[in-house]
Amino acid sequence: MSGPQVSFEFFPPRTPEMEASLWRAVRRLEGLAPRFVSVTYGAGGSTRARTHATVTRLRTDTGLTPAAHLTCVGASRDEVDAVARTYAAAGIHHIVALRGDADGAVPGKAGFEPHPGGYRNAAELVAGLKRIADFEISVAAHPEGHPDSASLDADIDNLARKVEAGATRAITQYFFDPAIFLRFRDRVAARGLNIPLVPGVLPVTNLKTLLKFSALCGATVPDWLPQRFAGLDDDPEVRPLVATSIAVELCRALEREGVNEFHFYTLNRADLTTAICRVLGVTEHAPS
Ligand code: FAD
């Protein structure tokens, strides 16, 4: 039996210590042969150089296929296009194209303001990228609806615009109830969108951060989740075991419904994602 296809998301490190721990995680996760690994882009392009450096090093120093996240925030079209051209020249052919959020966004409202000469949304960015090079383009999908959207149908219309512009994969915001993803998948299929819809899986490492971030991005945290972590604040050994089994339960429930690809928000840690992938049957090889 072979396991599901997987991909991993990292964020660009801010300090030399974080950098060392990222590369330890990359080396560990490389053996799981992900389809691709992606690197996020900070609010307002604040990580532009670090994202670029991380993606480029993944391309030159590992056998992995990197994808660079790119957003519309705080930059003109020309500036965003220039970043994309640099990626194309460096042999990076996969972009995760996103609108992004304003810095300091408040819960329930992302507060995005387009740059006067910038791309106004992810669909426009996808179209712009396709004019630059024949990138493979993944985009975000929001199974519970994006906080800025009038309805889930409006959000699915928006996903359709991104697909029409050239996106070929959608990666979802994280969620904890498999029914949320499955209902969304049905509605996306009913809309006639025929692209892989890959669930984004977040192994929970910090409950407080999760609650804060979920209020911002519109993800529901079910009551049972904090309950499973209750009383474990001072138990760093048990918390990851609980996090692993929650993620495995979610993936297994999705697999029973035919899902065979997962995107893991690794938060630059290898331990949880490695354990989850192993239990799911992803075979580990010696890194190249
Ligand atoms: P869009 O697809 O542009 O949509 C945003 C909202 O605007 C939706 O409600 C949509 O319905 C609405 N909308 C768009 N166009 C129109 C229109 N023409 N008319 C009416 N309504 C419209 N953020 C980062 O800053 N950096 C990252 O690296 C990053 N990586 C991410 C990776 C994944 C897998 C996911 C799921 C999210 C990521 N994000 C990242 C967060 C993302 O930037 C936010 O969720 C953002 O608020 C929306 O981005 P989007 O690409 O979905 O926007």
Side-chain angles (χ1 to χ4, degrees):
M1 184 205 79
S2 72
Q5 288 271 0
V6 294
S7 53
F8 303 137
E9 184 171 308
F10 302 107
F11 64 87
R14 280 188 298 275
T15 64
E17 293 74 29
M18 287 168 82
E19 169 129 24
S21 103
L22 165 69
W23 289 101
R24 276 196 302 278
V26 167
R27 288 299 173 202
R28 185 73 171 87
L29 291 169
E30 194 177 5
L32 293 163
R35 195 189 273 262
F36 66 92
V37 293
S38 75
V39 182
T40 60
Y41 198 72
S46 54
T47 68
R48 183 182 302 180
R50 283 184 279 127
T51 299
H52 190 272
T54 308
V55 170
T56 311
R57 184 168 165 197
L58 283 165
R59 161 110 170 81
T60 53
D61 291 12
T62 74
L64 296 164
T65 304
H69 292 217
L70 189 56
T71 75
C72 312
V73 178
S76 68
R77 288 177 183 227
D78 286 350
E79 286 164 333
V80 173
D81 289 358
V83 175
R85 281 199 190 88
T86 321
Y87 281 127
I92 312 297
H93 303 300
H94 185 172
I95 304 277
V96 182
L98 305 142
R99 186 194 74 177
D101 291 316
D103 233 348
V106 292
K109 179 111 189 68
F112 171 78
E113 281 291 339
H115 183 280
Y119 291 111
R120 287 173 303 172
N121 51 55
E124 285 192 0
L125 174 60
V126 174
L129 291 171
K130 276 292 186 189
R131 285 192 288 271
I132 291 168
D134 189 20
F135 289 116
E136 176 180 351
I137 299 182
S138 299
V139 290
H142 306 274
E144 299 186 69
H146 185 276
D148 292 353
S149 68
S151 65
L152 198 53
D153 280 337
D155 233 16
I156 293 172
D157 287 345
N158 181 52
L159 183 58
R161 284 192 288 274
K162 297 195 267 194
V163 173
E164 279 153 25
T168 52
R169 174 188 296 100
I171 304 170
T172 76
Q173 189 55 270
Y174 64 82
F175 56 91
F176 296 101
D177 177 352
I180 288 175
F181 176 86
L182 297 169
R183 274 197 300 267
F184 184 66
R185 185 178 68 170
D186 287 348
R187 290 173 75 156
V188 168
R191 181 70 174 69
L193 296 181
N194 191 21
I195 58 163
L197 184 64
V198 182
V201 177
L202 176 70
V204 176
T205 49
N206 185 323
L207 196 58
K208 227 185 235 167
T209 316
L210 174 77
L211 293 170
K212 199 170 137 203
F213 191 74
S214 301
L216 264 180
C217 72
T220 302
V221 179
D223 290 342
W224 57 257
L225 198 138
Q227 281 161 18
R228 288 197 195 171
F229 285 101
L232 293 180
D233 286 354
D234 298 321
D235 202 336
E237 284 171 5
V238 173
R239 275 200 316 268
L241 303 176
V242 174
T244 301
S245 52
I246 290 173
V248 167
E249 266 179 31
L250 175 63
C251 294
R252 284 277 188 237
L254 294 170
E255 281 188 318
R256 285 193 290 276
E257 298 294 333
V259 175
N260 59 6
E261 184 164 359
F262 299 103
H263 180 79
F264 289 95
Y265 298 108
T266 69
L267 303 176
N268 294 3
R269 288 175 65 151
D271 53 352
L272 300 176
T273 301
T274 303
I276 297 160
C277 287
R278 280 183 158 258
V279 178
L280 293 178
V282 180
T283 319
E284 204 165 1
H285 308 278
S288 58

